[in-house]
Amino acid sequence: MTARREVDGSITSADSIVFTDCHGLTATPGHAPAPSAAGRRRDVVVNGRRVKTVDVHAHCAVPEAMSLLGQKVGTPALLMSQAAERLRAMDEQGIDVEALSINAYWYKAERDVAQKLIALQNEKLAEFCAAHPERFVAFASVALQHPDLAAAQLEEAVKKFGLRGAAIGGSVNGEELADPKFHPFWAKVEQLGVLVFIHPQATGAPSELGSRFKGSGGLDNVIGNPLETTIALSHLIFEGTLDQFPGLKICAAHGGGYLPSYAARSDAGGVTFPDRVTTVTRKRPTEYLRQLYYDSIVFTSEALRHLVAETGSGQIVMGTDYPFPWTKTSVDHILGTPGLTDDERIAMLGGTAARLLGIKT
């Protein structure tokens, strides 16, 4: 039976309203209607069930922390002082909860500066979430260039500030996340049982391959960012990090980069060139894809269908990349992708993320 998807037809509170198109018609199956001009929160309903939606990929910034490295916020919408605008965008799109994260810009900072910066940043994140407890949770920042410090910062962030995991880059000053020097951090992550969100940063593959990305198309971002994630995940698999820390919960931005789209080559490489696989892993590379998590920012229904086929629907969580305008239809993307069951849609829209991040549903 085709899944029935609609918007709730009853007004239950000031944040809940019937949404119709300009002709007074409810949404057609697979396509949620636009929010009302009143700006009230859009309810997302799957087969009669109101779904709590969670966005795992939402950026922000703390200017006080950036100033410690002489940096300034380039995108005003990143400022947490712009809460009203952020909430309006969330309400329009049907996003109930955002999991905030900050892209790493501090990996070259000396230990004392990094310690001060991260303490300030995590405290500000916690304060903002506490002011809006129903709408925001946050990933901690950690100074991963100092792995022992990063482990301590994560523990403090989780236990003292109530942050839900850590956001990290795809590499650290040219070093892979699978390098043994980072094992103290991964051990702490596994011990705490929290989620790590890997998001590429400009100092990884985008800058390392900078000369190849010159010219039209913004290729440093369009190609470079997903490539950075692809490399990071591949090393975590091939170097045995996921075997050494089997309890890790890792979510990769941008649908895991290119890895899920060409994963079978990783298996074939070990058969074609067995001498180049110098670490023996417990499983085939493609099998590890089903223990990682991925956001849904892959743009088309066919891409999402393929991601499901390669990783499993239970490994996909919704992302928007707010405030960057890659997409404003993350909810509709999941609702409108053919072949998904109601339970799969509910899980992707928020069920899986809520479980991983400890959000009450």
Side-chain angles (χ1 to χ4, degrees), residues 57-357:
H57 188 159
H59 299 285
C60 64
V62 176
E64 300 95 321
M66 297 181 70
S67 68
L68 296 177
L69 294 179
Q71 298 192 25
K72 296 182 179 180
V73 178
T75 304
L78 288 169
L79 294 169
M80 290 185 286
S81 60
Q82 304 292 318
E85 176 63 20
R86 184 180 290 263
L87 288 166
R88 183 194 63 77
M90 291 169 63
D91 289 346
E92 287 183 353
Q93 295 180 48
I95 305 296
D96 292 315
V97 181
E98 273 188 354
L100 301 170
S101 59
I102 300 175
N103 281 2
Y105 59 87
W106 52 84
Y107 283 167
K108 292 187 180 298
E110 297 294 332
R111 188 182 182 96
D112 58 340
V113 176
Q115 192 164 12
K116 183 178 180 180
L117 186 154
I118 296 301
L120 174 60
Q121 199 154 262
N122 286 342
E123 186 173 356
K124 292 294 184 180
L125 284 167
E127 288 176 359
F128 183 78
C129 292
H132 309 275
E134 301 300 318
R135 305 305 302 273
F136 298 102
V137 297
F139 290 103
S141 301
V142 295
L144 204 52
Q145 70 271 38
H146 310 292
D148 62 320
L149 177 60
Q153 289 169 332
L154 176 61
E155 185 162 32
E156 179 184 56
V158 171
K159 294 183 176 180
K160 180 179 178 179
F161 294 124
L163 303 185
R164 308 305 172 92
I168 65 174
S171 59
V172 183
N173 301 327
E175 296 179 298
E176 298 300 334
L177 301 178
D179 191 297
K181 73 177 291 182
F182 299 117
H183 284 182
F185 172 73
W186 291 121
K188 182 59 67 175
V189 171
E190 186 177 48
Q191 177 191 339
L192 294 170
V194 294
L195 184 66
V196 169
F197 181 57
I198 297 179
H199 189 289
Q201 78 279 13
T203 55
S207 63
E208 292 163 1
L209 296 172
S211 63
R212 299 294 308 280
F213 292 141
K214 291 180 180 179
S216 179
L219 302 185
D220 57 336
N221 187 307
V222 173
I223 294 176
N225 276 9
L227 179 60
E228 170 79 353
T229 304
T230 303
I231 295 170
L233 296 181
S234 295
H235 279 296
L236 289 172
I237 291 170
F238 278 104
E239 299 300 330
T241 308
L242 299 182
D243 284 341
Q244 185 157 355
F245 305 101
L248 290 179
K249 301 172 185 175
I250 295 173
C251 179
H254 314 119
Y258 304 119
L259 184 59
S261 297
Y262 205 25
R265 187 176 177 90
S266 295
D267 288 350
V271 176
T272 307
F273 305 110
D275 57 311
R276 299 185 187 181
V277 180
T278 56
T279 299
V280 178
T281 58
R282 297 172 186 169
K283 299 183 288 189
R284 291 181 297 119
T286 52
E287 293 181 68
Y288 292 97
L289 268 62
R290 292 181 173 265
Q291 70 185 64
L292 301 171
Y293 297 89
Y294 313 85
D295 75 19
S296 61
I297 305 178
V298 293
F299 303 106
T300 68
S301 292
E302 174 55 23
L304 184 58
R305 182 209 63 77
H306 182 71
L307 186 60
V308 170
E310 293 295 319
T311 69
S313 60
Q315 306 307 113
I316 300 170
V317 291
M318 185 171 62
T320 66
D321 216 338
Y322 183 88
F324 304 103
W326 289 100
T327 177
K328 294 183 179 180
T329 57
S330 292
V331 169
D332 301 307
H333 183 203
I334 293 170
L335 291 176
T337 294
L340 300 176
T341 67
D342 289 343
D343 286 344
E344 288 175 323
R345 288 190 171 89
I346 290 169
M348 291 182 198
L349 288 166
T352 298
R355 172 174 54 81
L356 292 169
L357 295 170

